Amino acid sequence: MYVPVSLLGYLAYGGNLLDNVLLNMPDGPVTYTVQVLIIVHLLCAFTIVINPLSQELEEILNTPRHFNVYRCLARTVIMLLVLFIAETVPHFGSVLSLVGSSTLMLLTFILPCLFYEVLSRTESDHCPTRSLPFHIHVINYEIIFLAVVFLAIGSYFSVYNIVGPDAFTVPCYVNVTLAGG
């Protein structure tokens, strides 16, 4: 889903494409409608994503499961912490690049090849041991090697963008006049 959208955005805007493709779109009813729909999506999705963290914190704090002031307080503290982190990290796109470069390579290329290699050698009563041809082993290990190389390169540049000399901007809670985007 992301690759076709990214490709179409690049084909439409070329080298002027910004991290957020919506910033390239001209102002108008379509842009505003898309922005409103994305906000609704984020609000609904955030509730689902933050709920397990909230429930785990409530479990650690032995908060009663029924609605009470302690649950509201715990969830408010979590939201304030999320807000603080969001305001502290100056360019969230760089953090997303780091997460993407590391986890995408692991989940898409490295781990499936490793799991396939391990599962093909595993003996069990339910599944006979398979012997893979040599060229399959070579292909798997080539994919793993290349993915590790690209993971290292992507992670290096992502970390450099996060902690590099031009990366830091003053958060708005430190000095509102110096805070920049």
Side-chain angles (χ1 to χ4, degrees):
M1 177 93 178
Y2 295 116
V3 172
V5 170
S6 302
L7 183 63
L8 289 174
Y10 183 75
L11 291 174
Y13 298 108
N16 297 326
L17 183 64
L18 300 172
D19 287 343
N20 183 351
V21 73
L22 294 177
L23 297 176
N24 287 92
M25 296 175 64
D27 290 338
V30 173
T31 303
Y32 295 132
T33 303
V34 169
Q35 289 173 345
V36 167
L37 291 174
I38 287 177
I39 289 171
V40 169
H41 165 71
L42 290 174
L43 289 174
C44 293
F46 186 73
T47 305
I48 295 169
V49 169
I50 203 73
N51 193 43
L53 176 66
S54 300
Q55 289 180 345
E56 189 64 30
L57 180 66
E58 291 166 2
E59 187 75 27
I60 291 170
L61 297 175
N62 291 323
T63 306
R65 291 187 183 264
H66 63 279
F67 181 77
N68 59 51
V69 70
Y70 299 112
R71 288 186 79 183
C72 291
L73 184 62
R75 290 174 185 242
T76 302
V77 168
I78 289 173
M79 293 307 299
L80 290 174
L81 184 63
V82 168
L83 177 64
F84 175 76
I85 292 170
E87 290 295 331
T88 303
V89 175
H91 304 288
F92 193 65
S94 300
V95 175
L96 289 179
S97 295
L98 176 62
V99 171
S101 65
S102 58
T103 59
L104 185 70
M105 286 296 172
L106 277 171
L107 295 175
T108 306
F109 298 109
I110 297 171
L111 293 179
C113 290
L114 284 175
F115 292 162
Y116 186 66
E117 288 289 330
V118 169
L119 288 173
S120 67
R121 294 182 186 148
T122 303
E123 291 184 30
S124 73
D125 297 335
H126 306 292
C127 183
T129 303
R130 287 188 262 162
S131 68
L132 297 175
F134 180 72
H135 72 280
I136 298 294
H137 291 293
V138 170
I139 291 171
N140 280 337
Y141 290 118
E142 283 178 350
I143 291 171
I144 291 170
F145 174 75
L146 288 174
V148 168
V149 168
F150 289 128
L151 183 147
I153 292 170
S155 297
Y156 171 78
F157 284 112
S158 297
V159 169
Y160 182 78
N161 287 336
I162 292 171
V163 298
D166 298 333
F168 184 74
T169 59
V170 178
C172 67
Y173 56 82
V174 173
N175 188 339
V176 176
T177 59
L178 289 179

